[in-house]
Amino acid sequence: MINQIKDWLRNDEVDVFLGYKMVDGHPLPHVYGKERIDDVDAFIVGTARYPLEKIATMIASTNPDIKIGMVARDCNRRTLNVLYVWNQLDPDRIKTLDVNCCPSPLKDHADCSYLEKEAAGPMKVDKGMDGNQDTASVEEIEPGARFDKWMYEFEKCIKCYGCRNICPVCFCKECSLEHSDLVGTGALPPEVPIFHLVRAVHMAGRCIDCGLCEDACPMDIPLRLLYRKVNDIVRNVFDYDTGASAEQSPFNVLGEGTPLEPKQLNAA
Ligand code: SF4
Ligand code: SF4
Ligand code: SF4
């Protein structure tokens, strides 16, 4: 794998390579370049998960012609498909080194930590929503009680934006969550449930169920379960499996001819 990356850099197949490097005992994302090719010896795959695609989008926003290589697990490949559909990255300028975070072979759709959670069984949750359950179990909860459980969860929110900031498919130049006409400012928790419903609606045709938002949420809000419901609707109504391919999403109304227009680094 290390030799492969070095070859790609030496042969100009990629200009930079995004992977991981151990720094002070922590696996951190790292941009390997051809100027210091021996640095690639420090490359690791590891088990850490960061939105490498988000870094790729940022790099491409200031260097649209750059060729980017990156290590890609299933969730990374699904995210890349979404970013190609939404014209945030150019598939001709991305080269992936495919790895599997689960036992081989490569999977079409790895559910990663969600499966572990589901296998762990239901949590003891008095007032809130059990994030370990599947969406069908949520449907079985009486609507009034279901509403109360979600409201309980949303009211824990401290509006840190961690869920949006880590999400690899949150790439908008102007985020609705910071638009005072939609989400009021100066109060915690943020307007409930509008903050969360705005984000949930935006995840239609984008969320690839990586779970990074839920991992990042300091208030343990079961965000992944919420977006899995959105994905269920998208699958059932539009027959669209988000991230499964780079074909146009029913939600990308701009169409196939849309030019690449990545978010600018200095934008909100
Ligand atoms: S929350 Fe919505 S508006 Fe904000 S970056 Fe994500 S998709 Fe865009
Ligand atoms: S699971 Fe969360 S972080 Fe991952 S794509 Fe969906 S909304 Fe974004
Ligand atoms: S990460 Fe959690 S607490 Fe922070 S804004 Fe998102 S939902 Fe709210």
Side-chain angles (χ1 to χ4, degrees):
M1 207 175 272
I2 286 174
N3 288 338
Q4 171 99 75
I5 299 167
K6 285 183 176 178
D7 284 348
W8 284 1
L9 288 167
R10 278 197 197 103
N11 300 333
D12 288 329
E13 291 182 57
V14 299
D15 298 310
V16 292
F17 188 90
L18 299 178
Y20 294 95
K21 180 182 182 182
M22 197 66 83
V23 178
D24 295 333
H26 299 285
L28 295 178
H30 189 78
V31 182
Y32 293 98
K34 55 185 72 175
E35 303 76 23
R36 295 168 57 176
I37 218 151
D38 287 341
D39 280 2
V40 179
D41 289 329
F43 169 84
I44 56 160
V45 175
T47 55
R49 294 200 308 140
Y50 287 88
L52 295 180
E53 318 80 7
K54 199 149 191 158
I55 300 172
T57 310
M58 286 180 164
I59 293 173
S61 71
T62 49
N63 300 279
D65 294 329
I66 197 168
K67 291 174 288 184
I68 302 172
M70 60 177 277
V71 64
R73 301 187 179 106
D74 172 78
C75 51
N76 302 121
R77 296 191 293 277
R78 292 174 66 81
T79 303
L80 286 172
N81 280 338
V82 171
L83 294 172
Y84 299 152
V85 166
W86 291 83
N87 299 299
Q88 299 302 305
L89 287 173
D90 180 348
D92 293 336
R93 291 189 172 83
I94 301 289
K95 198 173 173 71
T96 61
L97 188 58
D98 294 345
V99 298
N100 201 351
C101 42
C102 312
S104 58
L106 287 171
K107 297 170 74 174
D108 289 336
H109 180 190
D111 285 310
C112 303
S113 54
Y114 174 74
L115 288 183
E116 286 169 23
K117 282 186 165 189
E118 205 177 32
M123 294 192 301
K124 280 199 170 177
V125 179
D126 293 335
K127 294 182 181 171
M129 190 60 86
D130 171 9
N132 285 6
Q133 63 192 316
D134 58 23
T135 51
S137 307
V138 178
E139 295 294 326
E140 288 169 12
I141 303 172
E142 186 272 321
R146 199 190 318 158
F147 179 80
D148 289 347
K149 282 176 177 287
W150 275 122
M151 291 298 277
Y152 176 83
E153 294 295 346
F154 296 156
E155 280 167 4
K156 295 191 298 189
C157 179
I158 57 169
K159 203 160 94 167
C160 66
Y161 293 108
C163 49
R164 177 203 63 182
N165 292 348
I166 200 154
C167 176
V169 293
C170 266
F171 48 71
C172 304
K173 288 179 181 173
E174 292 181 15
C175 177
S176 303
L177 300 179
E178 294 187 57
H179 200 297
S180 56
D181 286 349
L182 274 175
V183 179
T185 57
L188 285 179
E191 277 183 88
V192 174
I194 191 71
F195 180 94
H196 295 277
L197 293 189
V198 166
R199 185 150 196 280
V201 168
H202 289 192
M203 288 304 105
R206 292 196 195 198
C207 174
I208 53 84
D209 194 25
C210 67
L212 286 174
C213 53
E214 187 169 302
D215 290 352
C217 178
M219 304 313 292
D220 289 332
I221 300 172
L223 298 168
R224 194 174 190 178
L225 183 59
L226 181 65
Y227 307 138
R228 286 176 78 89
K229 179 61 187 173
V230 173
N231 270 338
D232 282 356
I233 296 170
V234 168
R235 201 172 293 115
N236 294 338
V237 175
F238 296 97
D239 192 24
Y240 184 73
D241 188 5
T242 306
S245 79
E247 287 174 17
Q248 282 294 302
S249 156
F251 301 92
N252 187 353
V253 294
L254 298 176
E256 292 181 19
T258 314
L260 183 69
E261 192 187 357
K263 174 178 175 173
Q264 298 301 304
L265 272 177
N266 57 359

